[in-house]
Each structure stands twice: as C-alpha cells, then as structure tokens.
Amino acid sequence: MTLATSPDASRARATGASLRLAILLFVADPQWLVPSTIAPIVFGLVSFELFRGEGPYFLTYAILGAGMMSMWGQTLYGSGWATGQDRQLGTLEPTIQAPTPYLYVVLGRIIWNVIAGLFGGVIVYLVVVIAAGGPPRLPNPLLFVVLFVFVMVTLASVGVVFAAAFVYSRYAGFIQNVGEFAFYIGTGCMFPVILLPFWTNPIALLFPPTWALDALRYVSIPGYSGFGWGWEWDLVGALAVTGVYAAIAGTVFSRVERHVLETGNLSDY
Amino acid sequence: MSDDLAIEVKDLVRVFESRKGFFYREKTRTEALKGVQLVVRRGTIFGLLGPNGAGKTTLTKILSTLLLPTSGTVRILDHEVVEDAHWLRSRIGLVLGGERGLYNRINAKENLRYFADLYGIPPSERDHRIAEVLERVDLVWAADRRVEEYSRGMKQKLHIARGILHRPEILFLDEPTIGLDPKSARETRKLIRSLVADGVTIFLTTHYMFEAEELCPRVAVLSKGRIVANDTIAGLRSRVGGDRTLEVEAYGFEDREVDRLRGLPGISKVVGEDFGPLMRLTMRDRTGETTPDQIRDLLVGHPELSVRERRTSLEDVYLDLVEEEAR
C-alpha cells in the first residue's frame, strides 16, 4: 500500500518542503553569500555616497535605490532561476513526477526568495544608517515597512512567471538575461518610472512592482508626485495587477506542465 | 483491464516534432514508438530490451506519466495514464538513474526528506521510512554525507531509494545497473528481486542480457519503436530457432560448406562473423540432432577447426531479433 497521500493533502507540505530545501541549498552553497550579503553592503555604501547631500530625504532615496537593487534580483530572478537550477541538476523530472503540482514547489522557493530579498533590504538599511550615523526621516514608518514587504510580493509574482518560463524551456535564462535591465529600469527599481519617456509608462504599469514601488516612494518621500494619483490608488493598482498575475499563474503552470509533457524536454538543460 | 494486470498498452504511438535550421523553419518528425502493445502482470518483473534509440526511455516516460502519448491507450493499475496522472504518480516510482537528478549539495537524508514531503508521506512515518529505504539500499553509513561526495554506484542506490520511498505498487527502472561495478550491480539486482517478493511490479529496461535473463521471467524486445518479440525467455529461444547453439571456427569457409551445414538436421540458422583471420559460424539447433562430430566430418581438412556447443543465450536471441528487424 502506497505511503503517498493525495496531491490535495500534500500541497501545503510540498510548499513547506520546497522552502526548507531552498534554505538548505542556500546555506550549502557559499556563492549565494555574495548576492545576499556582500552585494547589499556595497550597494548601500555606493548609494549613500551617490545621494549624500541631495535634500533632507537623501537617506530614504539611498535606502530605496540600494534596497531595490539588492532585492529585485534575489526575489524576482531567484524565483525564476530556482526552476532553471532544477533543470540543470536534472531534478525537474523527478519533481514533476511527484504527485503534487509543481506550482506548490515554486511557491516554496518564492517564499524563500522574498525572505532572502528582505534580508538584503535590511542589510542595506543598516549599512546606510550606520554610514549616516542615524536612521532616515520616515513620515510613516509602519506603512513604509508594510509597502516594503508588499514590493517583495509583487516582485515574487513576476518571479512566478519566470519560473513557468523555466519549466517551459531551457532557453528561459536567455530571455531573463536579455530582459534584466529593461525590467529593472522599466519598473522603477532604479529611479521613478515617471522620469522615463511617456510611452514606456503604460508598459511599465503592466508589472505589479511598478505600482508598488510608486506607492512606496509616495509614503516615504514627502513631495514625491509619481504618477499623480496617490499611494492609495497605487496600492489598489498593485493589488489588482498582482491578483491577475496570481490568477493566471495556476493556469499557466498547468498548461506549461502539459506542454513539457508533450515535448518531453524536462531533462534538457 | 483485468485485475491482475499492472500495465496495459494498446497501439501506443509517440511522435517527436522538432525544428531546426535557419529561423527553425525546417521541421523534423521522429516516430519513436510505432503502435506498441504490451501487458505486464502485477507482482512480476517485466524486462524491456532494445538497442540505443529503440524507444525504451520514451516508453518508460510515457508509462510513468512524464511524457504524453501521441495516440493509443495506456492504462496503469486500471487508470488512464494521461487523465489520472496525478493519482498514478503516488502509486508508481521511477528510477532514471545517472549522475543527475539529485541535489548534490545536501545529504541523502535531506534529499529523501524533500521527496517524501512532495509525495505527502505522513510526517509520523517519514523519518522511519527514510531510515528503512537507506538501510535497504545499504546507504545508512553515508546518509549524512553530501551527495556530491557519492560515487556513481551510491548515487544509483539513492535514486532507487527515492523511487521506492513512497512504497509504489509499480517501479519503473531505466537501466538501473548501467555504469555500476559488478558488486553494486549484483546488489541492485538482489534489491530488485526483494522488491518483487514484497509484491512490487517492476518494469525494467536494460542493455544487459544476463541481467534480463537473471531477473525477468518475461521480456519484450523493442526495436525502432516496435515490439518485435514479447515472450518468456524459453519462448524467445524457441522463436529464434532453439535452445542449443553451435559455434564453428576456422580460417574461412567455402559457400558450399556453409550450405552443407544448413542442410544438417535441426539447423535453423547459420550466421557468419569475421574475427580477424578467423571466421565464426553460429548455428541454431532446433532439435538437438546435430552433433559436433557430424560438423567436423563435414568440414574435414580445415586446420585449427573448432566446434563448440552451448545453450542459446538471451543475447543470441536479442541479436537475432534486432538484426531481423533491421533487415
């Protein structure tokens, strides 16, 4: 008699197991220390020097700029790459062969990447605070923290799409690398989207992080005008677009899974 | 589907389409499986033999829900393999083996724990079961070592441990002893036998004829996407012309001598092969009437003539069938 339970019963455990595995693999591989620990320190120091003296809220600018720089890669690209790594290791095939739908495995990795991204954000915060000799002036610290976490969630929602792309094809890494900087600049990770040519704005609004980052800037930098509709509408927009991403994720994954079972390319890398 | 059947395959076709060339405009179509039919009874070991590229892995992946068939029906444990894939995945195990397929930077226990959770093995039984399968594949001593430190044989054992972790009713083993040293291969075969004793149905693909002969009461030969034979070992022997094989070696034979050998009683087939200056004629003896002395009498005058008789091996049968298909 099989010991395996039904796929429905094992979904939450699969997500938990995937999160646990992501932590174990992170700890086991020293190369991840660079993007997760050393890079945020460097970004924090560089950002502090770049923004130093740029008005009363320069510390907030420095933290947001460096924080996003260190978090977006960890959360968004880390989520996609986790599946790419499964392809490379040849573990995608046995994972898909398990009864739990692969989406729940991806969710576990994404949770870890959000945590790791936040860890990078905290390091940036600490570096900038230590360099400045004190914390930044935040008009609404609680809202700042909530939106900071929410930005991570929106980055992760795009990460799910990248994860699906990695299941779909071994060439997803190529697409991800090509789009890396376009996405980074286009969603406002580096500087507000409103500074970019107007025609790029509607495209940028298709991505949840654009909305969430705009909201975060609203609540942390007094006088910031952004898209001009206030952080509340930014939040509504971010929730709506993230919801759409979440809704299509399940469909995309089941279709992608069917596609790879048709093409038989699960073991290619 | 009868209750005692574990696997039933009817008219299974699998076509791979790929694109190549400038802008991927050139489409290629490869028919990997061409109307495969087979049944496997519960609690038995079924061997699938075939040369490289015959379609063995494709068939194994379809049966284990990792690949969709193009047409035909596949029923596993009386469930349709496409529609009921998620249900079936908890009841079947797959061992593809090789260097890949494991998380190398963590240890064996953690690898197994991860997959135990993906299979939803109850937490109360999980650790005990992990210890049990590690014991079964003789990896307890290395359970806490990172997989990257494992030899090929140890990795293969870990693949098997993962495959049986959730106590599957059917285990698919794709060339489980390939690349293993003789001791590890023997241990793996022993393990396979013990699994069958526990009631597990084994679907085994292998290149090693002695392995199939030792383990499988029934084997099928897949060649160019078709099952060219599906029988018991004894049935296959009789199909290719008998249980007894005679081998004659000398420095060349004349055509009329070969014709005379063909005319001997019970001889069903004479095949020639060159070994440097030597030529070997291999003959299947259907009735056992022809003696080595009769052959020596026919070939009198050949210096260094050697005549040997032996039991027709599964390898002989396999080569005959694959050559027949190639013609």
Side-chain angles (χ1 to χ4, degrees):
Chain A
M1 187 69 183
T2 180
L3 285 173
T5 51
S6 78
D8 295 333
S10 57
R11 281 172 185 173
R13 282 192 57 211
T15 300
S18 170
L19 169 63
R20 189 170 182 278
L21 178 75
I23 296 168
L24 288 171
L25 293 175
F26 178 85
V27 174
D29 193 346
Q31 70 161 320
W32 301 122
L33 281 174
V34 176
S36 63
T37 312
I38 298 167
I41 294 172
V42 174
F43 292 156
L45 290 172
V46 170
S47 185
F48 176 76
E49 289 303 325
L50 275 176
F51 288 102
R52 192 204 287 258
E54 297 284 324
Y57 293 98
F58 86 93
L59 279 184
T60 314
Y61 272 108
I63 289 167
L64 285 179
M68 286 307 125
M69 197 183 276
S70 64
M71 293 189 312
W72 79 289
Q74 182 75 47
T75 303
L76 196 160
Y77 284 88
S79 301
W81 175 237
T83 301
Q85 197 186 21
D86 259 342
R87 261 190 188 278
Q88 198 176 39
L89 292 170
T91 43
L92 189 57
E93 221 163 27
T95 308
I96 296 271
Q97 215 266 329
T100 317
Y102 189 65
L103 176 62
Y104 296 91
V105 174
V106 170
L107 282 180
R109 274 125 191 226
I110 284 174
I111 291 169
W112 167 245
N113 286 316
V114 168
I115 295 167
L118 281 173
F119 179 66
V122 169
I123 291 177
V124 165
Y125 181 85
L126 292 175
V127 165
V128 173
V129 165
I130 291 165
R137 287 158 57 188
L138 290 171
N140 192 337
L142 183 65
L143 197 55
F144 177 84
V145 171
V146 170
L147 285 173
F148 201 82
V149 174
F150 185 63
V151 167
M152 305 300 299
V153 174
T154 60
L155 284 170
S157 72
V158 184
V160 180
V161 177
F162 278 119
F166 270 102
V167 178
Y168 186 83
S169 168
R170 60 179 157 166
Y171 298 115
F174 169 74
I175 299 161
Q176 181 166 291
N177 290 335
V178 166
E180 185 170 354
F181 284 100
F183 190 84
Y184 181 47
I185 293 168
T187 56
C189 280
M190 192 179 265
F191 45 75
V193 175
I194 208 74
L195 298 178
L196 297 171
F198 179 74
W199 64 267
T200 63
N201 290 188
I203 300 168
L205 290 172
L206 294 174
F207 299 101
T210 309
W211 298 80
L213 280 162
D214 201 52
L216 186 61
R217 286 196 172 96
Y218 263 123
V219 300
S220 46
I221 304 164
Y224 175 79
S225 57
F227 287 114
W229 48 56
W231 70 268
E232 296 89 344
W233 284 109
D234 264 336
L235 191 59
V236 170
L239 283 167
V241 183
T242 305
V244 171
Y245 271 67
I248 61 174
T251 316
V252 168
F253 260 94
S254 59
R255 289 193 178 185
V256 161
E257 195 177 323
R258 188 167 177 93
H259 169 82
V260 290
L261 298 183
E262 274 168 9
T263 56
N265 73 354
L266 275 174
S267 56
D268 299 344
Y269 71 102
Chain B
M1 185 174 179
S2 154
D3 275 355
D4 71 330
L5 291 186
I7 300 169
E8 187 177 39
V9 180
K10 281 183 190 163
D11 306 321
L12 177 63
V13 173
R14 172 67 211 204
V15 176
F16 287 99
E17 283 180 349
S18 59
R19 289 176 179 275
K20 59 180 185 178
F22 198 60
F23 287 122
Y24 293 94
R25 290 173 81 170
E26 200 182 317
K27 202 172 175 182
T28 50
R29 192 175 183 277
T30 311
E31 209 175 346
L33 297 175
K34 303 166 184 171
V36 169
Q37 320 256 9
L38 62 87
V39 290
V40 178
R41 306 215 167 272
R42 285 184 197 243
T44 61
I45 311 184
F46 184 88
L48 183 68
L49 310 175
N52 288 334
K56 299 189 299 295
T57 301
T58 300
L59 179 56
T60 306
K61 285 187 176 178
I62 290 175
L63 298 180
S64 58
T65 76
L66 275 182
L67 200 56
L68 297 177
T70 305
S71 66
T73 52
V74 180
R75 293 187 74 79
I76 311 283
L77 300 169
D78 212 12
H79 283 73
E80 214 281 319
V81 81
V82 179
E83 300 304 319
D84 299 330
H86 284 289
W87 184 89
L88 279 171
R89 283 172 186 171
S90 4
R91 282 150 184 91
I92 59 176
L94 171 66
V95 178
L96 291 171
E99 291 285 343
R100 296 173 73 223
L102 297 163
Y103 292 100
N104 291 322
R105 288 197 180 258
I106 56 174
N107 65 35
K109 262 189 198 164
E110 291 296 354
N111 266 279
L112 293 177
R113 182 180 160 154
Y114 173 63
F115 282 98
D117 287 337
L118 291 195
Y119 277 88
I121 295 174
S124 56
E125 294 185 52
R126 181 186 58 208
D127 293 346
H128 171 70
R129 180 62 183 159
I130 289 170
E132 198 174 64
V133 293
L134 284 169
E135 171 84 43
R136 195 148 191 187
V137 298
D138 191 25
L139 272 183
V140 174
W141 61 278
D144 295 314
R145 274 168 63 176
R146 280 186 176 199
V147 174
E148 64 191 358
E149 297 168 23
Y150 277 28
S151 66
R152 171 77 194 250
M154 289 163 76
K155 282 183 182 169
Q156 192 65 25
K157 285 178 177 179
L158 187 55
H159 277 292
I160 294 173
R162 182 177 61 197
I164 61 173
L165 189 60
H166 57 294
R167 284 208 190 109
E169 291 171 48
I170 305 178
L171 184 63
F172 295 93
L173 295 162
D174 193 16
E175 297 176 8
T177 57
I178 198 160
L180 297 189
D181 62 64
K183 186 173 174 280
S184 302
R186 183 180 291 179
E187 285 168 1
T188 305
R189 287 195 292 274
K190 194 176 157 192
L191 174 66
I192 292 169
R193 272 193 296 267
S194 74
L195 288 169
V196 178
D198 290 348
V200 180
T201 306
I202 307 277
F203 185 92
L204 169 87
T205 74
T206 181
H207 269 127
Y208 302 131
M209 299 304 132
F210 69 93
E211 187 167 277
E213 203 160 3
E214 187 185 320
L215 290 174
C216 311
R218 193 171 189 93
V219 295
V221 178
L222 189 67
S223 179
K224 294 181 178 174
R226 282 197 179 85
I227 299 278
V228 295
N230 183 353
D231 210 333
T232 58
I233 306 278
L236 287 177
R237 279 201 185 99
S238 65
R239 182 177 162 159
V240 297
D243 201 30
R244 187 165 169 256
T245 292
L246 292 157
E247 283 179 349
V248 187
E249 279 181 6
Y251 291 106
F253 297 97
E254 290 175 26
D255 287 347
R256 60 187 172 84
E257 289 175 321
V258 176
D259 287 342
R260 257 190 256 157
L261 289 172
R262 277 203 181 98
L264 284 168
I267 298 298
S268 61
K269 187 175 181 184
V270 181
V271 180
E273 269 179 295
D274 286 322
F275 290 91
L278 275 178
M279 187 177 186
R280 180 190 293 165
L281 297 175
T282 305
M283 302 181 286
R284 301 276 179 266
D285 181 9
R286 199 183 288 275
T287 56
E289 289 171 68
T290 298
T291 63
D293 284 344
Q294 275 176 291
I295 295 170
R296 284 191 196 97
D297 289 347
L298 268 178
L299 300 173
V300 71
H302 276 279
E304 306 288 330
L305 178 75
S306 121
V307 182
R308 282 193 306 268
E309 61 178 317
R310 62 174 171 79
R311 194 169 187 229
T312 302
S313 68
L314 184 59
E315 188 166 336
D316 296 321
V317 175
Y318 169 80
L319 289 173
D320 282 2
L321 289 167
V322 172
E323 278 165 17
E324 222 170 78
E325 181 65 15
R327 280 198 293 272

